[in-house]
Amino acid sequence: QLWVSTLRNGVYRLDQPDGKGDFGMVTAFNKGNGLRSNAVKKVFEDLEGNIWIATYGDGLSLLSGQPMAFTKMETAGLDNDIMAIAVTADNQYYVGGQGGLFRFTPGKDKSPVKVQGVPADKVTALHLSDRGLFIGTETRGLFLMDMKTQSVRNIPYEAYSMGKWISGIVSDDRYVYLGTKDGIYRLGNDFKEEAHFTTNDGLPHNNIEHLLIDSKGRLLFATRSKGIYELTRDGMVNLLYPVDQADVEFKSLAEDA
């Protein structure tokens, strides 16, 4: 299953792929069937298979086997405007918002607590890996937090202001990929920049909203386009899942089990 979020139409779940770019079933989740808002920023699956939907201005929605539940995050600095989310193996939630990075544990904490050491900037992307928590910001670029010591350090790379606005982070055994307002940056395991992909290299748009490495190891990205595209390791851009309409402003991607 592939989950696709949009800015105006809620979330779509794509089921029964035929291997040729088509899906046998498409399910929509929006205000008409219980979602608090159609303006969706991110979709995230936790370790228990629950789907968390982060919205603009209406907090988090939880889609599980039960009816939809909602978590208000009115803490100053979040104000229900959730920009990014990451969940650890021990069910600790890290949430990015207008006022930085926050941490909370459902059922234990009454409200999110701000994480110290993160620069005063909007936290727009989060990614957990065995190297720590990657933190993407709106103007300050990329940071990495050590999960044991909670220390935070900057990871520099060459970019203008739009390239420092990070909206998606993923990694595999060789690379760290950054989705930005200026295309996709690829860093090596030593965090040195190895490549920068833009419309000059075949991307349909430079404003990358989200990245996903799927179960087949493919790097997919969400942007304003005529479908969901893949960027291969050798720099080829392929349209995997086309849509039969004008450009759609895709906001995020997720794949469940």
Side-chain angles (χ1 to χ4, degrees), residues 167-188:
S167 50
I169 309 169
V170 293
S171 63
D172 58 20
D173 59 336
R174 291 179 60 185
Y175 301 114
V176 177
Y177 297 92
L178 309 177
T180 75
K181 298 293 183 182
D182 188 28
I184 298 174
Y185 289 80
R186 187 173 71 192
L187 312 182

Side-chain angles (χ1 to χ4, degrees), residues 122-152:
K122 294 180 183 179
V123 171
T124 51
L126 295 170
H127 171 62
L128 271 170
S129 79
D130 56 2
R131 307 185 75 170
L133 178 64
F134 288 96
I135 304 165
T137 65
E138 185 178 85
T139 64
R140 304 285 293 276
L142 180 65
F143 296 82
L144 179 63
M145 184 172 75
D146 185 297
M147 299 302 290
K148 293 182 179 180
T149 66
Q150 298 285 289
S151 61
V152 179

Side-chain angles (χ1 to χ4, degrees), residues 235-249:
M236 298 296 293
V237 179
N238 302 318
L239 177 58
L240 291 183
Y241 305 120
V243 294
D244 296 326
Q245 55 181 298
D247 284 1
V248 175
E249 193 168 354

Side-chain angles (χ1 to χ4, degrees), residues 2-24:
L2 183 67
W3 294 79
V4 180
S5 68
T6 69
L7 185 60
R8 297 180 178 86
N9 301 310
V11 178
Y12 293 92
R13 185 181 67 199
L14 285 61
D15 295 278
Q16 302 173 10
D18 62 3
K20 300 179 181 179
D22 293 322
F23 291 83

